[in-house]
Amino acid sequence: MTATELRQKYLDFFRSKNHAVIRSASLLPENDATVLFNTAGMQPLVPYLLGEKHPGGARLASAQKCVRTDDIDEVGDETHHTFFEMMGNWSLGDYFKDESIAWSWELLTSPEWLNLDPKLLAVSVFEGDKDAPFDEESFNLWRSLGVPVERIAKLPKKNNWWGPAGATGPCGPDTEIFYWTGDINEVPSSFNDDHEKWVEIWNNVFMQYNKQADGSFELLSQQNVDTGLGLERVTAVLNHCDNYQTDLFKNIISKIEELSGKKYNDSNEIKKAMRVIADHVKASTMIIGDEKGVAPSNTDQGYIVRRLLRRAMRFARQLEINKTNWLKELAMAVINDYEKIYPELRTNENFVYLELDKEEEKFSRTLEKGLLEFNKLGGASIDGVSAFNLYQSYGFPLEITEELAKEKGMTVDKKGFDLELEKHQELSRTASAGKFKGGLADNSEETTKLHTAAHLLLAALRRVLGEGVTQKGSNITAERLRFDFSYPEKMTSEQVTEVEKLVNQAISDKLEVGCEELSLDEAKNTGAMGVFDSKYGEKVKVYTAGINNEESPSKWEGVFSREICGGPHVKNTGELGHFKIQKEESSSSGVRRIKAILE
Ligand code: SER
């Protein structure tokens, strides 16, 4: 079974169970400053798991683009990736354990669907602790489907609990499904999750709790289901091969073989280099080619792309890939493979190629010299100043230096490097490790206010700079708003002042902020801003800031802003305080960036 078939079957199955198949959200989270990328299918759905209504209804399914960078160093083995796709189905306060478990079993074992042999499956359920009881219901449901007691493990929170993705948020006990990857004549009668041949393939989380900041678990207002099936891993498991031998990597690896004149199976070293290159170039293509695409840079997501590409380039040198613009050639293979499911890649392909060429040009100039410099370093440990010099003068991300050091049996003084970095204040703090770990939308009052301010800002920009301005991305923390928009040149200080003035006028006018659910066509007819290629088919939420005249037939008068958006927003612009633009700068070509605060 190919990944393409598995993805399709998964979505078709849940469509047949009345789920709306929603398109993958952007890799870059909306209004969530705690993470740089979406790391699980549930992440863009957090507001809905917490009780907001989703326009697609209460049953959803998707293939979600995800990037996780915690394990970037592990990429190179059989199973780790930075970019991966998470298949998932969700109940937002609709069905619960009963249907969830029965449907998972049906999809996996029914001859009409995946047709896996039930004898090769085992499951685990939550054994219970002080926070939540033993999940007897799931246990009994598995029994009723014919799973023998010896194949149902009862395990603690460490194994059978998922979430929250950050410090607080939705979470709950889960039940996990395992597949026997060993010899089918040697399948043990009982299940032991430590056995490496039993591999987890699907995780059904029963999200009924909201973890509080004080560590306690409160019941959510609704009982949700959140499931996750990693497409790369499950395809490999079902085919008894490594992840890089599935159809999700085949063409990319062939292209690397062609570029390098070497074969994947030539040696373990070559295999590792090819995996790193395949994974990292794919992830970079996905991030740059995302609907909110980001170019390589020295901050935030842009720095992740830079690190991925530079690490790929270092391994390409090992494979003696000497062709220029090879990154672009590889990206073409990625886009060919994925354009059907993620059409934004084709739309943004020229931007991807341009940025890859630029980054390749830039780093190939210094990589060689940096390696010479590195080879001069001796001793057991590389001090912070030297590591920083490699970073600053030759563009070596810390992990390249660390990796090179490891190969020579040396270590790197990371603390010393960080100290140097801080001194030079070159790099946004956010790009350093801690921030890549999971996290959840921060729906605090401040971020909600800034979110509404972002709508006013877009409306004001369009008034001052023209209707050609569209939103290219936003990132909100409790302290500030960062807003990217399309505009070809630097704004004049008069334009900046004018935009500020308009936003502050909308605030002092105390406009009401209201939400309506409309069909996509209706939304379009009201002139709402937003993404119109939604596949929900159902309703979208439209937020309007204006004067709401309940008596009048058209209801809204003096509309200042109107956008398709998931929310949340303040009720009245009067709550926002004073709006101030701190900075207007270039973000990437044709895209400007504004940093603003509310004071
Ligand atoms: N959130 C869970 C996971 O990532 C299930 O989707 O595994």
Side-chain angles (χ1 to χ4, degrees), residues 457-470 485-492 494-496 498-499 502 584 592 594:
L457 173 60
L458 175 62
L461 284 167
R462 286 166 61 86
R463 284 174 199 206
V464 175
L465 304 176
E467 304 275 297
V469 170
T470 55
F485 59 100
S486 59
Y487 193 62
E489 59 207 60
K490 183 162 181 61
M491 288 172 71
T492 63
E494 289 76 25
Q495 288 170 331
V496 172
E498 185 57 27
V499 167
L502 279 174
E584 190 275 342
R592 307 293 305 173
I594 279 181

PDB file of all heavy atoms in Angstrom, residues 457-470 485-492 494-496 498-499 502 584 592 594:
ATOM      1  N   LEU A 457      -5.786  46.763  11.521  1.00  0.00           N
ATOM      2  CA  LEU A 457      -4.565  47.150  10.809  1.00  0.00           C
ATOM      3  C   LEU A 457      -4.671  46.822   9.318  1.00  0.00           C
ATOM      4  O   LEU A 457      -4.360  47.648   8.468  1.00  0.00           O
ATOM      5  CB  LEU A 457      -3.358  46.435  11.442  1.00  0.00           C
ATOM      6  CG  LEU A 457      -2.020  46.593  10.724  1.00  0.00           C
ATOM      7  CD1 LEU A 457      -1.610  48.056  10.637  1.00  0.00           C
ATOM      8  CD2 LEU A 457      -0.920  45.797  11.440  1.00  0.00           C
ATOM      9  N   LEU A 458      -5.142  45.625   9.010  1.00  0.00           N
ATOM     10  CA  LEU A 458      -5.263  45.246   7.595  1.00  0.00           C
ATOM     11  C   LEU A 458      -6.212  46.206   6.871  1.00  0.00           C
ATOM     12  O   LEU A 458      -5.925  46.677   5.769  1.00  0.00           O
ATOM     13  CB  LEU A 458      -5.753  43.793   7.462  1.00  0.00           C
ATOM     14  CG  LEU A 458      -6.025  43.320   6.030  1.00  0.00           C
ATOM     15  CD1 LEU A 458      -4.749  43.367   5.176  1.00  0.00           C
ATOM     16  CD2 LEU A 458      -6.604  41.903   6.000  1.00  0.00           C
ATOM     17  N   ALA A 459      -7.344  46.490   7.527  1.00  0.00           N
ATOM     18  CA  ALA A 459      -8.319  47.388   6.896  1.00  0.00           C
ATOM     19  C   ALA A 459      -7.688  48.764   6.677  1.00  0.00           C
ATOM     20  O   ALA A 459      -7.854  49.379   5.615  1.00  0.00           O
ATOM     21  CB  ALA A 459      -9.561  47.496   7.778  1.00  0.00           C
ATOM     22  N   ALA A 460      -6.938  49.255   7.670  1.00  0.00           N
ATOM     23  CA  ALA A 460      -6.319  50.587   7.561  1.00  0.00           C
ATOM     24  C   ALA A 460      -5.252  50.591   6.457  1.00  0.00           C
ATOM     25  O   ALA A 460      -5.152  51.526   5.673  1.00  0.00           O
ATOM     26  CB  ALA A 460      -5.717  50.986   8.903  1.00  0.00           C
ATOM     27  N   LEU A 461      -4.470  49.511   6.381  1.00  0.00           N
ATOM     28  CA  LEU A 461      -3.428  49.427   5.347  1.00  0.00           C
ATOM     29  C   LEU A 461      -4.046  49.490   3.959  1.00  0.00           C
ATOM     30  O   LEU A 461      -3.536  50.154   3.060  1.00  0.00           O
ATOM     31  CB  LEU A 461      -2.637  48.119   5.499  1.00  0.00           C
ATOM     32  CG  LEU A 461      -1.629  48.069   6.648  1.00  0.00           C
ATOM     33  CD1 LEU A 461      -1.152  46.631   6.880  1.00  0.00           C
ATOM     34  CD2 LEU A 461      -0.430  48.972   6.374  1.00  0.00           C
ATOM     35  N   ARG A 462      -5.160  48.809   3.796  1.00  0.00           N
ATOM     36  CA  ARG A 462      -5.806  48.803   2.481  1.00  0.00           C
ATOM     37  C   ARG A 462      -6.359  50.184   2.121  1.00  0.00           C
ATOM     38  O   ARG A 462      -6.414  50.569   0.976  1.00  0.00           O
ATOM     39  CB  ARG A 462      -6.907  47.746   2.434  1.00  0.00           C
ATOM     40  CG  ARG A 462      -6.313  46.329   2.344  1.00  0.00           C
ATOM     41  CD  ARG A 462      -7.341  45.252   2.640  1.00  0.00           C
ATOM     42  NE  ARG A 462      -8.462  45.254   1.709  1.00  0.00           N
ATOM     43  CZ  ARG A 462      -8.475  44.625   0.536  1.00  0.00           C
ATOM     44  NH1 ARG A 462      -7.426  43.941   0.155  1.00  0.00           N
ATOM     45  NH2 ARG A 462      -9.542  44.675  -0.242  1.00  0.00           N
ATOM     46  N   ARG A 463      -6.790  50.928   3.160  1.00  0.00           N
ATOM     47  CA  ARG A 463      -7.268  52.285   2.871  1.00  0.00           C
ATOM     48  C   ARG A 463      -6.126  53.204   2.472  1.00  0.00           C
ATOM     49  O   ARG A 463      -6.254  54.028   1.592  1.00  0.00           O
ATOM     50  CB  ARG A 463      -7.979  52.859   4.097  1.00  0.00           C
ATOM     51  CG  ARG A 463      -9.348  52.239   4.198  1.00  0.00           C
ATOM     52  CD  ARG A 463     -10.075  52.623   5.442  1.00  0.00           C
ATOM     53  NE  ARG A 463     -11.122  51.623   5.608  1.00  0.00           N
ATOM     54  CZ  ARG A 463     -12.250  51.807   6.233  1.00  0.00           C
ATOM     55  NH1 ARG A 463     -12.490  52.958   6.802  1.00  0.00           N
ATOM     56  NH2 ARG A 463     -13.126  50.842   6.317  1.00  0.00           N
ATOM     57  N   VAL A 464      -5.000  53.031   3.155  1.00  0.00           N
ATOM     58  CA  VAL A 464      -3.885  53.949   2.897  1.00  0.00           C
ATOM     59  C   VAL A 464      -3.056  53.518   1.674  1.00  0.00           C
ATOM     60  O   VAL A 464      -2.668  54.354   0.868  1.00  0.00           O
ATOM     61  CB  VAL A 464      -2.984  54.056   4.160  1.00  0.00           C
ATOM     62  CG1 VAL A 464      -1.753  54.898   3.880  1.00  0.00           C
ATOM     63  CG2 VAL A 464      -3.780  54.640   5.314  1.00  0.00           C
ATOM     64  N   LEU A 465      -2.824  52.221   1.540  1.00  0.00           N
ATOM     65  CA  LEU A 465      -1.904  51.754   0.490  1.00  0.00           C
ATOM     66  C   LEU A 465      -2.614  51.170  -0.727  1.00  0.00           C
ATOM     67  O   LEU A 465      -1.981  50.869  -1.737  1.00  0.00           O
ATOM     68  CB  LEU A 465      -0.951  50.687   1.052  1.00  0.00           C
ATOM     69  CG  LEU A 465      -0.132  51.091   2.276  1.00  0.00           C
ATOM     70  CD1 LEU A 465       0.695  49.909   2.767  1.00  0.00           C
ATOM     71  CD2 LEU A 465       0.781  52.264   1.956  1.00  0.00           C
ATOM     72  N   GLY A 466      -3.925  50.973  -0.607  1.00  0.00           N
ATOM     73  CA  GLY A 466      -4.669  50.445  -1.749  1.00  0.00           C
ATOM     74  C   GLY A 466      -5.138  49.014  -1.515  1.00  0.00           C
ATOM     75  O   GLY A 466      -4.629  48.302  -0.645  1.00  0.00           O
ATOM     76  N   GLU A 467      -6.105  48.620  -2.332  1.00  0.00           N
ATOM     77  CA  GLU A 467      -6.768  47.328  -2.153  1.00  0.00           C
ATOM     78  C   GLU A 467      -5.883  46.148  -2.548  1.00  0.00           C
ATOM     79  O   GLU A 467      -6.245  44.995  -2.344  1.00  0.00           O
ATOM     80  CB  GLU A 467      -8.044  47.280  -3.003  1.00  0.00           C
ATOM     81  CG  GLU A 467      -9.018  48.399  -2.728  1.00  0.00           C
ATOM     82  CD  GLU A 467      -9.942  48.080  -1.564  1.00  0.00           C
ATOM     83  OE1 GLU A 467     -10.705  47.116  -1.684  1.00  0.00           O
ATOM     84  OE2 GLU A 467      -9.854  48.779  -0.542  1.00  0.00           O
ATOM     85  N   GLY A 468      -4.714  46.453  -3.127  1.00  0.00           N
ATOM     86  CA  GLY A 468      -3.799  45.371  -3.510  1.00  0.00           C
ATOM     87  C   GLY A 468      -3.175  44.712  -2.288  1.00  0.00           C
ATOM     88  O   GLY A 468      -2.617  43.617  -2.374  1.00  0.00           O
ATOM     89  N   VAL A 469      -3.281  45.351  -1.134  1.00  0.00           N
ATOM     90  CA  VAL A 469      -2.648  44.814   0.074  1.00  0.00           C
ATOM     91  C   VAL A 469      -3.422  43.604   0.595  1.00  0.00           C
ATOM     92  O   VAL A 469      -4.630  43.682   0.795  1.00  0.00           O
ATOM     93  CB  VAL A 469      -2.593  45.895   1.173  1.00  0.00           C
ATOM     94  CG1 VAL A 469      -2.170  45.288   2.501  1.00  0.00           C
ATOM     95  CG2 VAL A 469      -1.656  47.023   0.765  1.00  0.00           C
ATOM     96  N   THR A 470      -2.702  42.489   0.774  1.00  0.00           N
ATOM     97  CA  THR A 470      -3.340  41.339   1.413  1.00  0.00           C
ATOM     98  C   THR A 470      -2.453  40.841   2.541  1.00  0.00           C
ATOM     99  O   THR A 470      -1.251  41.117   2.562  1.00  0.00           O
ATOM    100  CB  THR A 470      -3.547  40.163   0.432  1.00  0.00           C
ATOM    101  OG1 THR A 470      -2.276  39.842  -0.143  1.00  0.00           O
ATOM    102  CG2 THR A 470      -4.532  40.505  -0.655  1.00  0.00           C
ATOM    103  N   PHE A 485       2.338  41.681   5.180  1.00  0.00           N
ATOM    104  CA  PHE A 485       1.366  41.979   4.127  1.00  0.00           C
ATOM    105  C   PHE A 485       2.082  42.264   2.812  1.00  0.00           C
ATOM    106  O   PHE A 485       3.259  42.620   2.794  1.00  0.00           O
ATOM    107  CB  PHE A 485       0.489  43.174   4.529  1.00  0.00           C
ATOM    108  CG  PHE A 485       1.273  44.434   4.798  1.00  0.00           C
ATOM    109  CD1 PHE A 485       1.363  45.433   3.845  1.00  0.00           C
ATOM    110  CD2 PHE A 485       1.937  44.618   6.011  1.00  0.00           C
ATOM    111  CE1 PHE A 485       2.089  46.598   4.085  1.00  0.00           C
ATOM    112  CE2 PHE A 485       2.671  45.774   6.254  1.00  0.00           C
ATOM    113  CZ  PHE A 485       2.756  46.760   5.296  1.00  0.00           C
ATOM    114  N   SER A 486       1.345  42.084   1.731  1.00  0.00           N
ATOM    115  CA  SER A 486       1.961  42.288   0.422  1.00  0.00           C
ATOM    116  C   SER A 486       2.006  43.774   0.110  1.00  0.00           C
ATOM    117  O   SER A 486       1.003  44.474   0.234  1.00  0.00           O
ATOM    118  CB  SER A 486       1.135  41.561  -0.648  1.00  0.00           C
ATOM    119  OG  SER A 486      -0.185  42.065  -0.627  1.00  0.00           O
ATOM    120  N   TYR A 487       3.153  44.276  -0.221  1.00  0.00           N
ATOM    121  CA  TYR A 487       3.312  45.661  -0.661  1.00  0.00           C
ATOM    122  C   TYR A 487       4.735  45.785  -1.176  1.00  0.00           C
ATOM    123  O   TYR A 487       5.667  45.321  -0.519  1.00  0.00           O
ATOM    124  CB  TYR A 487       3.060  46.644   0.488  1.00  0.00           C
ATOM    125  CG  TYR A 487       2.913  48.081  -0.001  1.00  0.00           C
ATOM    126  CD1 TYR A 487       1.876  48.433  -0.856  1.00  0.00           C
ATOM    127  CD2 TYR A 487       3.829  49.056   0.389  1.00  0.00           C
ATOM    128  CE1 TYR A 487       1.751  49.738  -1.320  1.00  0.00           C
ATOM    129  CE2 TYR A 487       3.704  50.363  -0.064  1.00  0.00           C
ATOM    130  CZ  TYR A 487       2.654  50.701  -0.926  1.00  0.00           C
ATOM    131  OH  TYR A 487       2.542  51.982  -1.384  1.00  0.00           O
ATOM    132  N   PRO A 488       4.900  46.406  -2.347  1.00  0.00           N
ATOM    133  CA  PRO A 488       6.212  46.311  -2.993  1.00  0.00           C
ATOM    134  C   PRO A 488       7.295  47.213  -2.410  1.00  0.00           C
ATOM    135  O   PRO A 488       8.470  46.986  -2.653  1.00  0.00           O
ATOM    136  CB  PRO A 488       5.930  46.698  -4.453  1.00  0.00           C
ATOM    137  CG  PRO A 488       4.664  47.482  -4.406  1.00  0.00           C
ATOM    138  CD  PRO A 488       3.896  47.016  -3.230  1.00  0.00           C
ATOM    139  N   GLU A 489       6.933  48.262  -1.661  1.00  0.00           N
ATOM    140  CA  GLU A 489       8.006  49.156  -1.212  1.00  0.00           C
ATOM    141  C   GLU A 489       7.850  49.578   0.237  1.00  0.00           C
ATOM    142  O   GLU A 489       6.827  49.314   0.875  1.00  0.00           O
ATOM    143  CB  GLU A 489       8.055  50.387  -2.112  1.00  0.00           C
ATOM    144  CG  GLU A 489       6.763  51.150  -2.129  1.00  0.00           C
ATOM    145  CD  GLU A 489       6.590  51.924  -3.432  1.00  0.00           C
ATOM    146  OE1 GLU A 489       6.570  51.270  -4.500  1.00  0.00           O
ATOM    147  OE2 GLU A 489       6.483  53.149  -3.381  1.00  0.00           O
ATOM    148  N   LYS A 490       8.871  50.239   0.732  1.00  0.00           N
ATOM    149  CA  LYS A 490       8.838  50.708   2.121  1.00  0.00           C
ATOM    150  C   LYS A 490       7.748  51.758   2.276  1.00  0.00           C
ATOM    151  O   LYS A 490       7.548  52.594   1.408  1.00  0.00           O
ATOM    152  CB  LYS A 490      10.210  51.313   2.459  1.00  0.00           C
ATOM    153  CG  LYS A 490      10.300  51.749   3.901  1.00  0.00           C
ATOM    154  CD  LYS A 490      11.735  51.931   4.376  1.00  0.00           C
ATOM    155  CE  LYS A 490      11.740  52.343   5.841  1.00  0.00           C
ATOM    156  NZ  LYS A 490      11.116  51.301   6.704  1.00  0.00           N
ATOM    157  N   MET A 491       7.030  51.699   3.391  1.00  0.00           N
ATOM    158  CA  MET A 491       6.013  52.716   3.645  1.00  0.00           C
ATOM    159  C   MET A 491       6.701  54.012   4.061  1.00  0.00           C
ATOM    160  O   MET A 491       7.708  53.992   4.764  1.00  0.00           O
ATOM    161  CB  MET A 491       5.084  52.262   4.774  1.00  0.00           C
ATOM    162  CG  MET A 491       4.136  51.155   4.379  1.00  0.00           C
ATOM    163  SD  MET A 491       3.237  50.511   5.821  1.00  0.00           S
ATOM    164  CE  MET A 491       2.123  51.876   6.201  1.00  0.00           C
ATOM    165  N   THR A 492       6.130  55.148   3.659  1.00  0.00           N
ATOM    166  CA  THR A 492       6.686  56.427   4.122  1.00  0.00           C
ATOM    167  C   THR A 492       6.227  56.646   5.561  1.00  0.00           C
ATOM    168  O   THR A 492       5.262  56.023   6.022  1.00  0.00           O
ATOM    169  CB  THR A 492       6.158  57.602   3.275  1.00  0.00           C
ATOM    170  OG1 THR A 492       4.734  57.673   3.456  1.00  0.00           O
ATOM    171  CG2 THR A 492       6.494  57.401   1.798  1.00  0.00           C
ATOM    172  N   GLU A 494       4.729  59.127   6.667  1.00  0.00           N
ATOM    173  CA  GLU A 494       3.360  59.686   6.626  1.00  0.00           C
ATOM    174  C   GLU A 494       2.334  58.558   6.537  1.00  0.00           C
ATOM    175  O   GLU A 494       1.300  58.593   7.186  1.00  0.00           O
ATOM    176  CB  GLU A 494       3.171  60.620   5.407  1.00  0.00           C
ATOM    177  CG  GLU A 494       3.908  61.939   5.470  1.00  0.00           C
ATOM    178  CD  GLU A 494       5.404  61.793   5.181  1.00  0.00           C
ATOM    179  OE1 GLU A 494       5.794  60.826   4.495  1.00  0.00           O
ATOM    180  OE2 GLU A 494       6.181  62.640   5.684  1.00  0.00           O
ATOM    181  N   GLN A 495       2.658  57.577   5.699  1.00  0.00           N
ATOM    182  CA  GLN A 495       1.716  56.449   5.557  1.00  0.00           C
ATOM    183  C   GLN A 495       1.583  55.688   6.866  1.00  0.00           C
ATOM    184  O   GLN A 495       0.489  55.300   7.271  1.00  0.00           O
ATOM    185  CB  GLN A 495       2.193  55.506   4.445  1.00  0.00           C
ATOM    186  CG  GLN A 495       2.009  56.090   3.051  1.00  0.00           C
ATOM    187  CD  GLN A 495       2.697  55.273   1.970  1.00  0.00           C
ATOM    188  OE1 GLN A 495       3.721  54.618   2.228  1.00  0.00           O
ATOM    189  NE2 GLN A 495       2.169  55.299   0.764  1.00  0.00           N
ATOM    190  N   VAL A 496       2.708  55.501   7.551  1.00  0.00           N
ATOM    191  CA  VAL A 496       2.669  54.785   8.831  1.00  0.00           C
ATOM    192  C   VAL A 496       1.785  55.548   9.817  1.00  0.00           C
ATOM    193  O   VAL A 496       0.909  54.975  10.488  1.00  0.00           O
ATOM    194  CB  VAL A 496       4.102  54.594   9.398  1.00  0.00           C
ATOM    195  CG1 VAL A 496       4.051  54.037  10.814  1.00  0.00           C
ATOM    196  CG2 VAL A 496       4.907  53.658   8.497  1.00  0.00           C
ATOM    197  N   GLU A 498      -0.546  57.659   9.149  1.00  0.00           N
ATOM    198  CA  GLU A 498      -1.934  57.638   8.698  1.00  0.00           C
ATOM    199  C   GLU A 498      -2.618  56.316   9.096  1.00  0.00           C
ATOM    200  O   GLU A 498      -3.759  56.309   9.549  1.00  0.00           O
ATOM    201  CB  GLU A 498      -1.939  57.828   7.156  1.00  0.00           C
ATOM    202  CG  GLU A 498      -3.292  57.963   6.506  1.00  0.00           C
ATOM    203  CD  GLU A 498      -4.126  59.114   7.066  1.00  0.00           C
ATOM    204  OE1 GLU A 498      -3.540  60.096   7.567  1.00  0.00           O
ATOM    205  OE2 GLU A 498      -5.374  58.996   7.032  1.00  0.00           O
ATOM    206  N   VAL A 499      -1.880  55.217   8.949  1.00  0.00           N
ATOM    207  CA  VAL A 499      -2.436  53.910   9.304  1.00  0.00           C
ATOM    208  C   VAL A 499      -2.726  53.861  10.808  1.00  0.00           C
ATOM    209  O   VAL A 499      -3.805  53.459  11.255  1.00  0.00           O
ATOM    210  CB  VAL A 499      -1.474  52.763   8.890  1.00  0.00           C
ATOM    211  CG1 VAL A 499      -1.873  51.440   9.538  1.00  0.00           C
ATOM    212  CG2 VAL A 499      -1.452  52.623   7.373  1.00  0.00           C
ATOM    213  N   LEU A 502      -5.831  55.862  11.610  1.00  0.00           N
ATOM    214  CA  LEU A 502      -7.080  55.185  11.232  1.00  0.00           C
ATOM    215  C   LEU A 502      -7.446  54.102  12.236  1.00  0.00           C
ATOM    216  O   LEU A 502      -8.607  53.961  12.624  1.00  0.00           O
ATOM    217  CB  LEU A 502      -6.935  54.551   9.843  1.00  0.00           C
ATOM    218  CG  LEU A 502      -7.118  55.473   8.631  1.00  0.00           C
ATOM    219  CD1 LEU A 502      -6.785  54.719   7.353  1.00  0.00           C
ATOM    220  CD2 LEU A 502      -8.567  55.975   8.575  1.00  0.00           C
ATOM    221  N   GLU A 584       8.364  49.243  10.757  1.00  0.00           N
ATOM    222  CA  GLU A 584       7.874  48.794   9.455  1.00  0.00           C
ATOM    223  C   GLU A 584       9.118  48.400   8.695  1.00  0.00           C
ATOM    224  O   GLU A 584      10.050  49.195   8.554  1.00  0.00           O
ATOM    225  CB  GLU A 584       7.133  49.929   8.745  1.00  0.00           C
ATOM    226  CG  GLU A 584       6.386  49.500   7.480  1.00  0.00           C
ATOM    227  CD  GLU A 584       7.242  49.481   6.217  1.00  0.00           C
ATOM    228  OE1 GLU A 584       8.328  50.109   6.191  1.00  0.00           O
ATOM    229  OE2 GLU A 584       6.855  48.816   5.246  1.00  0.00           O
ATOM    230  N   ARG A 592       6.006  43.185   3.313  1.00  0.00           N
ATOM    231  CA  ARG A 592       6.451  44.086   4.375  1.00  0.00           C
ATOM    232  C   ARG A 592       5.983  43.534   5.717  1.00  0.00           C
ATOM    233  O   ARG A 592       5.033  42.751   5.793  1.00  0.00           O
ATOM    234  CB  ARG A 592       5.868  45.495   4.198  1.00  0.00           C
ATOM    235  CG  ARG A 592       6.105  46.113   2.840  1.00  0.00           C
ATOM    236  CD  ARG A 592       7.538  46.424   2.537  1.00  0.00           C
ATOM    237  NE  ARG A 592       8.188  47.279   3.525  1.00  0.00           N
ATOM    238  CZ  ARG A 592       9.486  47.568   3.526  1.00  0.00           C
ATOM    239  NH1 ARG A 592      10.271  47.062   2.573  1.00  0.00           N
ATOM    240  NH2 ARG A 592      10.022  48.337   4.446  1.00  0.00           N
ATOM    241  N   ILE A 594       5.041  44.618   9.786  1.00  0.00           N
ATOM    242  CA  ILE A 594       4.814  45.661  10.799  1.00  0.00           C
ATOM    243  C   ILE A 594       4.832  45.023  12.168  1.00  0.00           C
ATOM    244  O   ILE A 594       4.243  43.954  12.373  1.00  0.00           O
ATOM    245  CB  ILE A 594       3.459  46.369  10.544  1.00  0.00           C
ATOM    246  CG1 ILE A 594       3.644  47.412   9.437  1.00  0.00           C
ATOM    247  CG2 ILE A 594       2.928  47.015  11.815  1.00  0.00           C
ATOM    248  CD1 ILE A 594       2.404  48.203   9.107  1.00  0.00           C
TER     249      ILE A 594
END
